[in-house]
Amino acid sequence: MSNKGLKPLSVLVIHGPNLNLLGRREPGLYGSLTLDEINGRLTEVANTLNVSLATMQSNHEGILVDAIHGAWGKHQGILINAGAYTHTSVALRDALLGVKIPTVEVHLSNIYQRESFRHHSYIAAIAIGQITGFGAQSYLLGLQALHHHLSKDSE
Ligand code: DQA
């Protein structure tokens, strides 16, 4: 169901460590788009869905935790690529559990085709779902899936 005519849903997009280097960081794995270009594409999709989008990136775990806390009461959904913290951070998982904001986890690369230390995600089990391996498209699919989930709630 579309929420056209209603107050736009608000989604916070969180990009974790090293994603500020996109475009020049291992392009064979992560593609050639910069973070700004990915955010631009996300904004285009958000506009078609009547979703209001905020984006942030940090290389610091505590700042990411604070951003999740700050989303409480402000955003109805979180789209997160936690980068390497995906595989290490109980703190990010606990923050997401603490604010209880529906979350979709995304990754540019297919984390299950890579080193075994990337196969475990602390976020996956507490997220609505995970989209991994579609490059920048993972973000766009993730936003659509999150919007679908949130719109279902208001049906
Ligand atoms: C990543 C996968 C992680 O394992 C890695 O540490 C990243 C990027 C991805 O989008 O494919 O920084 O989250």
Side-chain angles (χ1 to χ4, degrees):
M1 192 182 137
S2 141
N3 73 327
K4 284 208 165 74
L6 301 174
K7 195 168 173 274
L9 292 166
S10 182
V11 167
L12 175 63
V13 182
I14 298 179
H15 305 280
N18 299 308
L19 295 169
N20 54 312
L21 298 181
L22 285 179
R24 58 199 163 101
R25 173 192 183 201
E26 300 181 84
L29 260 179
Y30 298 124
S32 56
L33 293 183
T34 65
L35 195 60
D36 280 350
E37 287 167 337
I38 291 178
N39 285 336
R41 291 191 186 191
L42 274 169
T43 302
E44 282 169 21
V45 172
N47 289 341
T48 68
L49 296 172
N50 193 29
V51 165
S52 146
L53 207 69
T55 64
M56 66 83 64
Q57 187 276 332
S58 179
N59 296 321
H60 304 278
E61 190 174 12
I63 292 177
L64 296 169
V65 169
D66 287 343
I68 293 167
H69 293 180
W72 193 80
K74 240 165 121 182
H75 302 287
Q76 288 77 52
I78 292 178
L79 185 69
I80 187 166
N81 182 351
Y85 289 141
T86 305
H87 319 296
T88 62
S89 181
V90 178
L92 286 184
R93 175 193 173 110
D94 284 352
L96 291 166
L97 278 174
V99 297
K100 280 201 184 132
I101 298 176
T103 296
V104 170
E105 174 185 356
V106 299
H107 299 283
L108 297 146
S109 62
N110 182 338
I111 57 174
Y112 302 103
Q113 287 177 347
R114 300 185 59 195
E115 304 95 323
S116 57
F117 63 82
R118 295 185 204 272
H119 295 179
H120 179 258
S121 162
Y122 279 99
I123 295 169
I126 57 131
I128 303 162
Q130 182 194 65
I131 299 178
T132 186
F134 295 95
Q137 193 68 17
S138 290
Y139 282 96
L140 308 183
L141 293 168
L143 180 59
Q144 282 166 343
L146 184 56
H147 172 261
H148 180 75
H149 177 88
L150 297 172
S151 305
K152 249 188 354 197
D153 280 354
S154 62
E155 261 172 8

